Amino acid sequence: MTNQCATVAVYGAGGHTGRFVVAELLRRTIPVIAVGRDLSRLPSDVPGKVAAIDDPAALDRAFAGCAVVINCAGPFLDSADPVVRAALRAGCAYLDINAEQASTQATLETFDQPAREAGLAVIPAAGFYGGLADLLASVLAKGDTVDELTTAVALDHWWPTEGTRKTGERNRVARVNVDDGKRVPMALPAASIEWSFAAPHGAQSVVEMPFSEIITISRHLPVRQLRSYLGANALGDVRHAGTPAPTAVDQLGRSAQQFAMDVVAVGANGTRRASARGQDIYAVSAPLVAEAAARILDPSFARSGALTLGEAFDARDFLDALMPDHLTVAFTPV
């Protein structure tokens, strides 16, 4: 990295997930600057700066002297491009928690060369959607060409945040899957299948619902067919206007939501499954992105360009660092 300062700027620090990210960085004793559009909404226990996405000069001032920028301000179709550009101008690596396919793809394609020239890493979709599945798939696919790879997510509830609802309204871009090694538009209506998760989720109906993991996985893994599914009950929750926002139930501010993510790979080495379980998909994005930031800050980190979590880091080692405090992960033959 060109910038040796250890400070991390969190853009969108006043949002639901942004506050989890600030708290996780502080737990790791990593210096933090909170950045957002409204100073009154930013965490009061760290320095705060005001910058809007349409104010390049303010973004430059906010990120000056930092080493990493973590973008938590969705919709990323609007925020990613200006924040990445400002991060690179400031000599900062970039991370975000993007679940949007179009934004993730645009970031990877647009900023690979500029990031390489700057000697910096740009890593979109480093949270629950996009990042976690990419890490699990990277372990399963190591040394193998995968004929079929399937991800399935179970949530006992999905209490959507304000940011999730805004992103859903903004993101009308057609979703894609992978067939014959190429990204193709998802067929409509969305397919529904039965999936058997481990307890407590068990067998349930899941609906085809690809997020940014389609982009992150297909970016660097030789996968011929890739599909993603989400529990039908969770999809119903997030689509219902009356579903409440998440409510904290523990000292960490997490909701009671329990999640499971399965990734199944079929290839020359047989059928293998990776299963991750934990609490609160918004909260777990914080240790994922904070672990990435900590590794980027390590003087031995030398990767540059636009990357995914599975490309940038040793996936198994990365997952091991999150267990058992944030995740439980198991790898089994099927």
Side-chain angles (χ1 to χ4, degrees):
M1 292 190 55
T2 58
N3 191 334
Q4 298 304 310
C5 172
T7 301
V8 175
V10 179
Y11 190 73
H16 185 81
T17 307
R19 288 180 173 272
F20 281 122
V21 172
V22 169
E24 179 62 21
L25 291 168
L26 291 177
R27 188 188 70 79
R28 294 167 177 255
T29 68
I30 296 174
V32 183
I33 292 176
V35 186
R37 294 163 231 175
D38 184 348
L39 189 63
S40 67
R41 294 190 61 181
L42 298 178
S44 59
D45 52 349
V46 297
K49 296 185 179 182
V50 175
I53 58 173
D54 59 354
D55 189 341
L59 290 171
D60 290 348
R61 291 192 296 269
F63 300 157
C66 295
V68 180
V69 172
I70 299 176
N71 184 6
C72 299
F76 293 92
L77 281 167
D78 300 321
S79 74
D81 188 278
V83 176
V84 178
R85 293 183 186 277
L88 294 180
R89 289 196 301 271
C92 300
Y94 172 90
L95 295 155
D96 70 35
I97 54 169
N98 189 355
E100 303 160 38
Q101 290 188 332
S103 177
T104 300
Q105 182 172 338
T107 297
L108 290 169
E109 293 178 352
T110 302
F111 294 105
D112 185 47
Q113 187 62 33
R116 290 179 187 277
E117 293 172 355
L120 297 164
V122 169
I123 306 177
F128 177 80
Y129 290 111
L132 180 55
D134 184 46
L135 290 168
L136 297 171
S138 295
V139 175
L140 294 181
K142 190 172 184 178
D144 189 16
T145 296
V146 179
D147 295 319
E148 297 178 17
L149 193 139
T150 307
T151 78
V153 171
L155 309 175
D156 57 354
H157 301 88
W158 190 347
W159 297 295
T161 64
E162 178 185 0
T164 295
R165 292 207 179 278
K166 287 182 177 179
T167 297
E169 294 168 0
R170 170 70 175 86
N171 184 19
R172 301 297 183 180
V173 181
R175 297 176 187 264
V176 299
N177 286 312
V178 172
D179 279 327
D180 295 327
K182 298 178 182 179
R183 294 174 190 155
V184 297
M186 185 184 84
L188 295 175
S192 178
I193 63 173
E194 293 299 308
W195 193 272
S196 293
F197 296 95
H201 299 281
Q204 58 181 268
S205 176
V206 295
V207 179
E208 195 169 7
M209 183 55 57
F211 290 97
S212 51
E213 69 285 336
I214 298 292
I215 308 302
T216 57
I217 292 170
S218 63
R219 165 80 175 185
H220 68 109
L221 296 177
V223 177
R224 293 195 177 98
Q225 179 175 301
L226 176 57
R227 293 288 185 275
S228 292
Y229 296 87
L230 174 67
N233 67 307
L235 187 59
D237 284 344
V238 79
R239 286 178 170 173
H240 193 283
T243 303
T247 301
V249 297
D250 63 18
Q251 71 276 13
L252 298 178
R254 297 180 299 182
S255 74
Q257 180 196 65
Q258 299 293 314
F259 68 79
M261 178 182 288
D262 287 350
V263 179
V264 176
V266 180
N269 293 331
T271 301
R272 303 166 314 283
R273 179 190 298 258
S275 299
R277 294 174 56 189
Q279 179 179 344
D280 194 328
I281 61 174
Y282 298 110
V284 82
S285 288
L288 281 161
V289 76
E291 179 67 22
R295 290 175 181 241
I296 290 171
L297 291 170
D298 189 301
S300 66
F301 182 77
R303 299 296 306 275
S304 65
L307 305 159
T308 74
L309 283 186
E311 279 185 290
F313 309 107
D314 181 297
R316 188 62 180 264
D317 183 68
F318 195 107
L319 290 166
D320 286 346
L322 300 179
M323 297 188 287
D325 293 339
H326 306 292
L327 287 171
T328 59
V329 180
F331 296 93
T332 57
V334 177

